[in-house]
Amino acid sequence: MKNYGHKLGVITAMALAAALPERKLTKEFLESEIDKVEYNRFGETNTHCTITTKSGFSFTGESACVDPNNFDQKIGEKFAYENAFNKMWTPYGFWLHKALADHDNRLQPPSDDNKIEAQDWMIPDDATFSFGDAVEILKKGLRVARAGWNGKGMWLALVHPDDDAAVHPRPTYAVAGIVDDATNGCLPWIGMKTADNKFVPWLASQTDVLAEDWQIVE
């Protein structure tokens, strides 16, 4: 099972939230869900359109002219397509609402614990994500890694200045000679646990940014 979320098409709830930042269903999004469009003519006046989505679900539409002598294939297909396409709004609107609601709920920590665990998101063990999704997951306190990394035991975590200060009596910025009145400018950073059990600052490569094999790790 790849990724997570409720699917009508092929996009996950988290990817849906990124694809529709204004949380509105758009014509462009519906068109992106279409896999193929087929037309058939029935009799002398009727045109039938079947829109098949990437998930395999079909929407159908029809059009007809009054006089067979006025039949125009392009016009018939245009109106049959519009009839089929308009039927996509309601089920996709329901799916959008549910998927985003479920996505929002997964981002909320359990009421009895401030730490978010993978099972609280109901994410399959083999779920994989895009880099953008991985960054959002890091922000929620989870660790991520790429399935394609060769080193064993490698993972990323988001480090906050407060975390650094709690671990070290003299925080990193103090050891580096940064004056106290500059510490308000310290920002979170992403660190990597390396294969040789070190923890270092991490920068993403082009391959990492475009990868789709990001996973949550314990």
Side-chain angles (χ1 to χ4, degrees):
M1 180 178 181
K2 183 178 181 180
N3 288 325
Y4 66 96
H6 297 273
K7 297 183 180 180
L8 180 62
V10 297
I11 193 169
T12 66
M14 183 171 284
L16 180 63
L20 300 172
E22 296 184 1
R23 306 172 77 88
K24 294 180 180 179
L25 195 58
T26 64
K27 180 175 181 287
E28 291 74 21
F29 176 78
L30 290 180
E31 290 174 338
S32 73
E33 284 287 291
I34 296 175
D35 180 48
K36 61 181 178 180
V37 179
E38 300 172 294
Y39 299 99
N40 289 287
R41 181 179 178 181
F42 294 98
E44 297 182 321
T45 60
N46 297 303
T47 303
H48 184 274
C49 172
T50 300
I51 296 176
T52 303
T53 66
K54 294 174 182 177
S55 67
F57 193 83
S58 296
F59 296 90
T60 62
E62 299 79 27
S63 68
C65 64
V66 176
D67 187 342
N69 295 320
N70 295 327
F71 180 83
D72 184 297
Q73 181 176 341
K74 291 184 178 180
I75 294 177
E77 291 180 354
K78 175 181 181 295
F79 286 109
Y81 174 84
E82 290 178 355
N83 184 248
F85 186 84
N86 286 336
K87 295 177 182 178
M88 296 178 66
W89 290 95
T90 297
Y92 266 90
F94 171 80
W95 171 61
L96 167 65
H97 177 79
K98 180 170 177 55
L100 291 180
D102 289 348
H103 171 256
D104 292 343
N105 289 337
R106 290 190 183 100
L107 299 186
Q108 299 300 320
S111 58
D112 58 347
D113 192 347
N114 289 327
K115 184 178 180 181
I116 300 176
E117 302 291 352
Q119 58 266 28
D120 296 322
W121 284 22
M122 298 178 290
I123 301 173
D125 293 336
D126 60 351
T128 56
F129 312 94
S130 68
F131 179 68
D133 292 345
V135 171
E136 292 302 316
I137 292 169
L138 283 172
K139 291 178 180 178
K140 304 307 173 184
L142 296 174
R143 298 172 179 176
V144 300
R146 282 192 56 205
W149 281 344
N150 294 324
K152 294 183 178 180
M154 297 168 61
W155 46 259
L156 305 180
L158 186 64
V159 180
H160 295 272
D162 290 343
D163 299 332
D164 187 49
V167 173
H168 304 287
R170 295 186 67 205
T172 301
Y173 52 75
V175 174
I178 300 174
V179 295
D180 290 340
D181 60 4
T183 58
N184 287 335
C186 292
L187 299 174
W189 52 277
I190 297 175
M192 169 184 274
K193 189 265 186 185
T194 62
D196 59 350
N197 208 33
K198 301 294 192 301
F199 193 73
V200 297
W202 177 82
L203 290 176
S205 67
Q206 288 291 314
T207 303
D208 291 327
V209 171
L210 298 176
E212 297 285 342
D213 64 346
W214 288 95
Q215 297 177 318
I216 294 175
V217 299
E218 296 296 331

